[in-house]
Amino acid sequence: MSRLPRRLLAPTPGWTLQADVCVVGSGIAGLCAALHARAAGLRVIVVTKVNIDDGSTRWAQGGIAAVLDPTDTPQAHLSDTLTAGVGLCDEEAVRILVTEGPDRVRELMAVGAEFDRNPDGSLSLTREGGHHADRIIHAGGDATGVEVQRALHAAVRGDPGLQIVEHALVLDLLTGPDGRAAGVTLHVLGEGSADGVGAVLARAVVLATGGMGQVYSATTNPSVSTGDGVALGLRAGAAVTDIEFVQFHPTALFLGTAAVRGQQPLVSEAMRGEGAVLVDRAGLAFMRGVHELADLAPRDVVAKAITRVMLAHGVDHVFLDARHLGAAMLEHRFPSILARCRAAGIDPVHEPIPVAPAAHYASGGLRTDLDGQTSVPGLYACGEVSCTGVHGANRLASNSLLEGLVFAGRIGADLTRSLPPQVDPVADDAGAGLLDPAIRPELSEAMTTGAGVLRSAGSLAEALSVVDRFGTRTSTDPGPLAWEATNLHTVAAALVTAACRREETRGCHWREDFGGADEAWRGHLLASIDENGVLEQEFQPLPTVVPA
Ligand code: SIN
């Protein structure tokens, strides 16, 4: 494997801003972390890649899973989460998620988020794959993320102690003489004083940059999801774990072979929660018999079953049949999905919706403790960029917004407890590098073909050879396209290396050459970049479970 950069090649920062806390990212994780830090009286700068609402949160359709029904229990939510995670969840992290979650959701409602309600005023709860109870709250039918983003934006807007810097691509971590985070460098496409490459100095940095779906050629993630936070963390020496577990959403809207590039429209799992059924081209409901929950089996099971049908029939999509739900129900409950389908000439009221799996969610990321701290002091990670241990080998549906809410709260509490004074960052250009942005299309194609839903030793070796080859396609021309391509390459290198090494099928890591989960592989692969730019990997087995 070629050496990976330990810094992005970039001009020297030409301007500086300062705060107590720098939050990178403005979805649910970033804005909640910022609100908690503000509640503790800390000055906060939120930097965000494009506009404040351009991250993944806005695209969330399904909702937020939380125990809000008196007949449901945190234990049941914990049990469903552990089952989906196939032996790799950190049970303590999951316990925190399911017990602290309901209060964090109530706080979100207190800052103004409005969720759908039943005629009697109670919250309308639905079900998604892997859940044995109705525990998903939603807003605007299928526009949960839009409402969450709106409410959080309204809560931070106008606060003089919170500055928002938009159009800001984060580059690298700044550290003090003791290695503690001291801020970030970033590139701002702006007007006025903060333009070009600059620095935000801070006593702590919270990465909430979202996912890395753009490392694949087709994803439900927006264009900003280029793995910037994971790549930055790796370059800063932080450990990444479970990165091989990429969740493919079973039902992205299929708009024809030529359109399967970049962000794909999502057809929420909640549609199956309300009774829609996956069928093959002959109309056969193929999930029955595959799993006791049929169409509501955990997401990896459904994505695999769809892929099997597509391979067996030599087709590139299957169908989601929602016609029996009726026009009134579909229009009330799924207005955004209906509008998107109809814009493409498909009417779900009268015809089945063509769907295919697409990369959706990184279950792994920067490893954190239960307070969101990465292995680099003062560097926190929250939301999809992190690996708190709640998802294991496969995230349970609608646990991601919940994770952002819960762990942002814990980061806020930790910042209140321990925030040393600002230190001056030490200059460090060692290991700076940059790749040619032209690698990007071929890199993402190679990732989809070799490290997608279906993987094998052969397919992964091919993906790895492309990643390795592109590691030598260097550039000396810094700019957003080259920085993003370099980040994607770093993420791809860590992902494929882990996927090659994990010789089993578990959760959303499906190896065609290994039939199932292997107890010897029940553990975590940790990756980090050493001071020479070498990607190092270590396997940490989990204690064997002795049956009671
Ligand atoms: C969906 O609405 O199907 C996506 C929800 C999630 O990813 O948890």
Side-chain angles (χ1 to χ4, degrees):
M1 163 79 58
S2 50
R3 303 273 157 111
L4 296 171
R6 291 195 41 244
R7 301 234 133 231
L8 290 173
L9 188 69
T12 307
W15 50 269
T16 303
L17 298 174
Q18 188 156 359
D20 293 314
V21 181
C22 174
V23 176
V24 187
S26 58
I28 193 168
L31 292 185
C32 286
L35 283 171
H36 284 287
R38 286 296 298 134
L42 299 166
R43 287 170 309 121
V44 177
I45 292 179
V46 175
V47 302
T48 188
K49 198 163 170 184
V50 189
N51 297 306
I52 193 162
D53 59 354
D54 275 333
S56 291
T57 295
R58 172 160 72 91
W59 296 98
Q61 293 180 347
I64 307 178
V67 173
L68 296 163
D69 179 331
T71 63
D72 193 10
T73 64
Q75 187 59 36
H77 190 182
L78 177 126
S79 165
D80 287 343
T81 303
L82 295 182
T83 301
V86 204
L88 290 195
C89 295
D90 175 337
E91 191 162 334
E92 190 46 32
V94 180
R95 200 173 303 284
I96 285 168
L97 181 83
V98 299
T99 53
E100 296 183 8
D103 279 347
R104 296 294 86 76
V105 169
R106 284 187 268 273
E107 284 170 12
L108 183 61
M109 294 194 265
V111 299
E114 301 272 1
F115 294 97
D116 296 338
R117 292 186 179 266
N118 298 312
D120 66 359
S122 60
L123 283 165
S124 164
L125 300 171
T126 192
R127 197 176 291 215
E128 290 179 9
H131 290 273
H132 284 81
D134 293 349
R135 61 169 75 100
I136 319 280
I137 53 169
H138 45 88
D142 57 2
T144 309
V146 173
E147 172 59 9
V148 168
Q149 192 75 52
R150 181 206 62 75
L152 289 173
H153 190 182
V156 298
R157 196 170 21 219
D159 176 350
L162 189 151
Q163 183 179 353
I164 297 168
V165 182
E166 293 183 314
H167 302 283
L169 172 61
V170 68
L171 300 177
D172 275 307
L173 189 71
L174 293 166
T175 50
D178 57 355
R180 195 186 152 84
V184 292
T185 56
L186 68 171
H187 176 266
V188 177
L189 274 178
E191 289 167 4
S193 53
D195 188 18
V197 173
V200 174
L201 302 184
R203 298 156 70 194
V205 173
V206 181
L207 292 177
T209 48
M212 53 175 83
Q214 294 285 333
V215 79
Y216 289 97
S217 55
T219 173
T220 60
N221 292 187
S223 60
V224 292
S225 301
T226 51
D228 306 331
V230 165
L232 175 152
L234 278 167
R235 286 193 297 272
V240 158
T241 192
D242 293 350
I243 194 165
E244 64 274 35
F245 296 106
V246 179
Q247 182 173 83
F248 284 75
H249 196 287
T251 56
L253 179 62
F254 179 80
L255 296 170
T257 314
V260 186
R261 295 270 178 288
Q263 187 178 6
Q264 305 292 301
L266 183 66
V267 179
S268 176
E269 193 161 288
M271 214 177 226
R272 277 175 281 135
E274 301 290 353
V277 177
L278 284 159
V279 294
D280 64 17
R281 62 186 169 171
L284 180 77
F286 56 84
M287 282 309 298
R288 291 180 200 142
V290 172
H291 191 276
E292 44 127 1
L293 293 172
D295 292 89
L296 284 179
R299 222 166 253 182
D300 59 315
V301 176
V302 183
K304 284 174 200 173
I306 292 175
T307 308
R308 280 201 181 102
V309 169
M310 293 190 331
L311 285 174
H313 296 184
V315 293
D316 45 17
H317 62 282
V318 295
F319 295 93
L320 184 66
D321 196 346
R323 289 174 292 180
H324 55 287
L325 301 183
M329 192 279 186
L330 285 172
E331 272 155 22
H332 167 71
R333 186 64 182 81
F334 301 108
S336 319
I337 296 172
L338 253 66
R340 187 65 190 85
C341 287
R342 285 173 174 162
I346 301 154
D347 190 347
V349 172
H350 300 296
E351 61 195 309
I353 307 166
V355 291
H360 182 61
Y361 191 85
S363 296
L366 293 168
R367 174 139 108 167
T368 71
D369 65 14
L370 298 177
D371 294 319
Q373 266 274 3
T374 69
S375 51
V376 174
L379 177 66
Y380 295 80
C382 192
E384 189 172 355
V385 67
S386 71
C387 184
T388 59
V390 299
H391 305 310
N394 182 30
R395 174 179 66 92
L396 185 67
S398 285
N399 267 357
S400 47
L401 294 182
L402 185 68
E403 184 194 31
L405 279 176
V406 167
F407 285 87
R410 296 182 73 83
I411 289 172
D414 201 57
L415 290 172
T416 314
R417 279 191 297 269
S418 60
L419 205 49
Q422 175 76 53
V423 290
D424 286 335
V426 286
D428 178 11
D429 274 340
L434 194 65
L435 297 181
D436 179 353
I439 65 171
R440 190 165 161 180
E442 208 184 314
L443 178 69
S444 61
E445 285 299 335
M447 290 298 291
T448 294
T449 311
V453 188
L454 288 175
R455 302 165 176 185
S456 67
S459 78
L460 288 164
E462 273 177 39
L464 193 57
S465 80
V466 173
V467 169
D468 212 11
R469 181 158 49 85
F470 283 162
T472 59
R473 285 267 298 272
T474 54
S475 164
T476 50
D477 190 11
L481 294 180
W483 290 319
E484 276 189 345
T486 311
N487 286 339
L488 286 165
H489 178 266
T490 294
V491 164
L495 196 166
V496 178
T497 308
C500 279
R501 176 127 177 235
R502 184 175 285 281
E503 295 189 322
E504 64 163 353
T505 285
R506 184 187 292 272
C508 44
H509 174 63
W510 184 12
R511 289 281 304 250
E512 286 183 285
D513 41 355
F514 295 96
D518 178 347
E519 183 59 22
W521 271 107
R522 210 174 64 78
H524 302 284
L525 281 165
L526 262 87
S528 56
I529 299 178
D530 76 7
E531 65 274 15
N532 298 312
V534 175
L535 185 71
E536 295 192 318
Q537 215 178 48
E538 181 198 342
F539 180 63
Q540 288 189 346
L542 289 166
T544 304
V545 183
V546 183

Short mmCIF file of all heavy atoms in Angstrom, two decimals, residues 288-313:
data_model
loop_
_atom_site.label_atom_id
_atom_site.label_comp_id
_atom_site.label_asym_id
_atom_site.label_seq_id
_atom_site.Cartn_x
_atom_site.Cartn_y
_atom_site.Cartn_z
N ARG A 288 -40.63 -12.96 2.18
CA ARG A 288 -41.26 -13.97 3.03
C ARG A 288 -40.44 -15.24 2.92
O ARG A 288 -40.09 -15.66 1.83
CB ARG A 288 -42.70 -14.23 2.58
CG ARG A 288 -43.56 -13.02 2.87
CD ARG A 288 -44.99 -13.19 2.45
NE ARG A 288 -45.56 -11.84 2.33
CZ ARG A 288 -46.42 -11.47 1.40
NH1 ARG A 288 -46.86 -12.32 0.51
NH2 ARG A 288 -46.86 -10.23 1.38
N GLY A 289 -40.13 -15.82 4.05
CA GLY A 289 -39.30 -17.03 4.01
C GLY A 289 -37.83 -16.72 4.18
O GLY A 289 -37.04 -17.60 4.50
N VAL A 290 -37.42 -15.47 3.96
CA VAL A 290 -36.00 -15.12 4.15
C VAL A 290 -35.74 -14.82 5.63
O VAL A 290 -34.70 -15.17 6.18
CB VAL A 290 -35.61 -13.90 3.28
CG1 VAL A 290 -34.22 -13.41 3.62
CG2 VAL A 290 -35.71 -14.24 1.81
N HIS A 291 -36.72 -14.17 6.30
CA HIS A 291 -36.52 -13.73 7.69
C HIS A 291 -37.88 -13.65 8.35
O HIS A 291 -38.88 -13.35 7.68
CB HIS A 291 -35.84 -12.35 7.67
CG HIS A 291 -35.33 -11.90 9.00
ND1 HIS A 291 -36.12 -11.28 9.95
CD2 HIS A 291 -34.08 -11.98 9.56
CE1 HIS A 291 -35.40 -10.99 11.02
NE2 HIS A 291 -34.15 -11.40 10.81
N GLU A 292 -37.90 -13.87 9.69
CA GLU A 292 -39.20 -13.84 10.38
C GLU A 292 -39.87 -12.47 10.26
O GLU A 292 -41.10 -12.35 10.31
CB GLU A 292 -39.07 -14.22 11.88
CG GLU A 292 -37.90 -13.58 12.62
CD GLU A 292 -38.27 -12.85 13.91
OE1 GLU A 292 -39.44 -12.85 14.28
OE2 GLU A 292 -37.35 -12.26 14.52
N LEU A 293 -39.07 -11.38 10.08
CA LEU A 293 -39.67 -10.05 9.95
C LEU A 293 -39.95 -9.69 8.49
O LEU A 293 -40.36 -8.57 8.20
CB LEU A 293 -38.76 -8.99 10.58
CG LEU A 293 -38.60 -9.06 12.11
CD1 LEU A 293 -37.52 -8.08 12.58
CD2 LEU A 293 -39.92 -8.74 12.79
N ALA A 294 -39.72 -10.64 7.59
CA ALA A 294 -39.97 -10.46 6.14
C ALA A 294 -39.42 -9.12 5.64
O ALA A 294 -38.21 -8.90 5.77
CB ALA A 294 -41.46 -10.61 5.85
N ASP A 295 -40.27 -8.24 5.11
CA ASP A 295 -39.77 -6.97 4.54
C ASP A 295 -39.18 -6.04 5.58
O ASP A 295 -38.52 -5.06 5.24
CB ASP A 295 -40.90 -6.25 3.79
CG ASP A 295 -41.29 -7.02 2.55
OD1 ASP A 295 -42.18 -7.91 2.65
OD2 ASP A 295 -40.69 -6.76 1.50
N LEU A 296 -39.43 -6.34 6.85
CA LEU A 296 -38.88 -5.49 7.91
C LEU A 296 -37.72 -6.17 8.63
O LEU A 296 -37.42 -5.84 9.78
CB LEU A 296 -39.99 -5.10 8.89
CG LEU A 296 -40.92 -4.02 8.34
CD1 LEU A 296 -42.01 -3.69 9.33
CD2 LEU A 296 -40.12 -2.76 8.01
N ALA A 297 -37.07 -7.08 7.95
CA ALA A 297 -35.84 -7.67 8.49
C ALA A 297 -34.78 -6.57 8.59
O ALA A 297 -34.90 -5.52 7.95
CB ALA A 297 -35.36 -8.78 7.56
N PRO A 298 -33.71 -6.77 9.41
CA PRO A 298 -32.65 -5.76 9.43
C PRO A 298 -32.15 -5.46 8.02
O PRO A 298 -32.21 -6.30 7.11
CB PRO A 298 -31.57 -6.41 10.29
CG PRO A 298 -32.31 -7.35 11.17
CD PRO A 298 -33.46 -7.86 10.35
N ARG A 299 -31.64 -4.25 7.88
CA ARG A 299 -31.33 -3.71 6.56
C ARG A 299 -30.34 -4.55 5.76
O ARG A 299 -30.45 -4.68 4.55
CB ARG A 299 -30.75 -2.33 6.77
CG ARG A 299 -31.24 -1.35 5.83
CD ARG A 299 -30.89 0.02 6.34
NE ARG A 299 -32.08 0.67 6.84
CZ ARG A 299 -32.08 1.90 7.31
NH1 ARG A 299 -30.97 2.60 7.36
NH2 ARG A 299 -33.20 2.44 7.72
N ASP A 300 -29.34 -5.12 6.44
CA ASP A 300 -28.35 -5.92 5.71
C ASP A 300 -29.02 -7.16 5.10
O ASP A 300 -28.71 -7.55 3.97
CB ASP A 300 -27.19 -6.33 6.62
CG ASP A 300 -27.65 -7.14 7.83
OD1 ASP A 300 -28.65 -6.76 8.45
OD2 ASP A 300 -27.00 -8.17 8.13
N VAL A 301 -29.95 -7.74 5.85
CA VAL A 301 -30.64 -8.95 5.37
C VAL A 301 -31.45 -8.60 4.11
O VAL A 301 -31.43 -9.33 3.11
CB VAL A 301 -31.57 -9.51 6.48
CG1 VAL A 301 -32.36 -10.71 5.97
CG2 VAL A 301 -30.77 -9.87 7.72
N VAL A 302 -32.13 -7.46 4.15
CA VAL A 302 -32.98 -7.08 3.01
C VAL A 302 -32.09 -6.71 1.80
O VAL A 302 -32.37 -7.13 0.67
CB VAL A 302 -33.92 -5.90 3.38
CG1 VAL A 302 -34.83 -5.55 2.22
CG2 VAL A 302 -34.75 -6.25 4.61
N ALA A 303 -31.02 -5.96 2.05
CA ALA A 303 -30.15 -5.56 0.93
C ALA A 303 -29.54 -6.80 0.27
O ALA A 303 -29.43 -6.88 -0.97
CB ALA A 303 -29.05 -4.62 1.41
N LYS A 304 -29.16 -7.77 1.09
CA LYS A 304 -28.58 -9.00 0.52
C LYS A 304 -29.63 -9.76 -0.28
O LYS A 304 -29.34 -10.27 -1.37
CB LYS A 304 -28.05 -9.91 1.64
CG LYS A 304 -26.76 -9.46 2.24
CD LYS A 304 -26.41 -10.33 3.44
CE LYS A 304 -25.42 -9.62 4.34
NZ LYS A 304 -25.18 -10.34 5.58
N ALA A 305 -30.84 -9.86 0.28
CA ALA A 305 -31.90 -10.61 -0.43
C ALA A 305 -32.20 -9.95 -1.77
O ALA A 305 -32.37 -10.63 -2.79
CB ALA A 305 -33.15 -10.68 0.43
N ILE A 306 -32.25 -8.63 -1.79
CA ILE A 306 -32.50 -7.92 -3.06
C ILE A 306 -31.37 -8.20 -4.05
O ILE A 306 -31.60 -8.49 -5.23
CB ILE A 306 -32.64 -6.39 -2.82
CG1 ILE A 306 -33.92 -6.10 -2.04
CG2 ILE A 306 -32.63 -5.63 -4.15
CD1 ILE A 306 -34.08 -4.63 -1.66
N THR A 307 -30.14 -8.12 -3.53
CA THR A 307 -28.99 -8.35 -4.43
C THR A 307 -29.02 -9.76 -4.98
O THR A 307 -28.72 -9.98 -6.17
CB THR A 307 -27.67 -8.06 -3.67
OG1 THR A 307 -27.78 -6.77 -3.09
CG2 THR A 307 -26.48 -8.08 -4.60
N ARG A 308 -29.42 -10.72 -4.15
CA ARG A 308 -29.51 -12.11 -4.63
C ARG A 308 -30.54 -12.21 -5.75
O ARG A 308 -30.29 -12.86 -6.78
CB ARG A 308 -29.94 -13.03 -3.48
CG ARG A 308 -28.79 -13.39 -2.59
CD ARG A 308 -29.07 -14.67 -1.80
NE ARG A 308 -27.92 -14.93 -0.95
CZ ARG A 308 -27.89 -14.68 0.35
NH1 ARG A 308 -28.94 -14.20 0.97
NH2 ARG A 308 -26.80 -14.92 1.04
N VAL A 309 -31.68 -11.57 -5.57
CA VAL A 309 -32.73 -11.61 -6.60
C VAL A 309 -32.21 -10.94 -7.88
O VAL A 309 -32.39 -11.47 -9.00
CB VAL A 309 -34.02 -10.91 -6.11
CG1 VAL A 309 -35.01 -10.70 -7.25
CG2 VAL A 309 -34.67 -11.73 -5.00
N MET A 310 -31.53 -9.82 -7.73
CA MET A 310 -31.05 -9.11 -8.92
C MET A 310 -30.04 -9.97 -9.67
O MET A 310 -30.06 -10.05 -10.90
CB MET A 310 -30.42 -7.76 -8.52
CG MET A 310 -31.47 -6.79 -7.99
SD MET A 310 -30.98 -5.05 -7.72
CE MET A 310 -29.30 -5.06 -7.39
N LEU A 311 -29.15 -10.65 -8.92
CA LEU A 311 -28.16 -11.51 -9.56
C LEU A 311 -28.82 -12.70 -10.24
O LEU A 311 -28.51 -13.05 -11.39
CB LEU A 311 -27.15 -12.00 -8.52
CG LEU A 311 -26.12 -10.98 -8.05
CD1 LEU A 311 -25.28 -11.57 -6.92
CD2 LEU A 311 -25.23 -10.55 -9.21
N ALA A 312 -29.78 -13.31 -9.52
CA ALA A 312 -30.44 -14.51 -10.07
C ALA A 312 -31.19 -14.18 -11.35
O ALA A 312 -31.24 -14.99 -12.28
CB ALA A 312 -31.39 -15.10 -9.03
N HIS A 313 -31.79 -12.99 -11.42
CA HIS A 313 -32.61 -12.63 -12.58
C HIS A 313 -31.85 -11.79 -13.60
O HIS A 313 -32.41 -11.40 -14.63
CB HIS A 313 -33.86 -11.85 -12.14
CG HIS A 313 -34.79 -12.68 -11.27
ND1 HIS A 313 -36.00 -12.22 -10.82
CD2 HIS A 313 -34.66 -13.93 -10.78
CE1 HIS A 313 -36.59 -13.16 -10.09
NE2 HIS A 313 -35.79 -14.20 -10.05
#
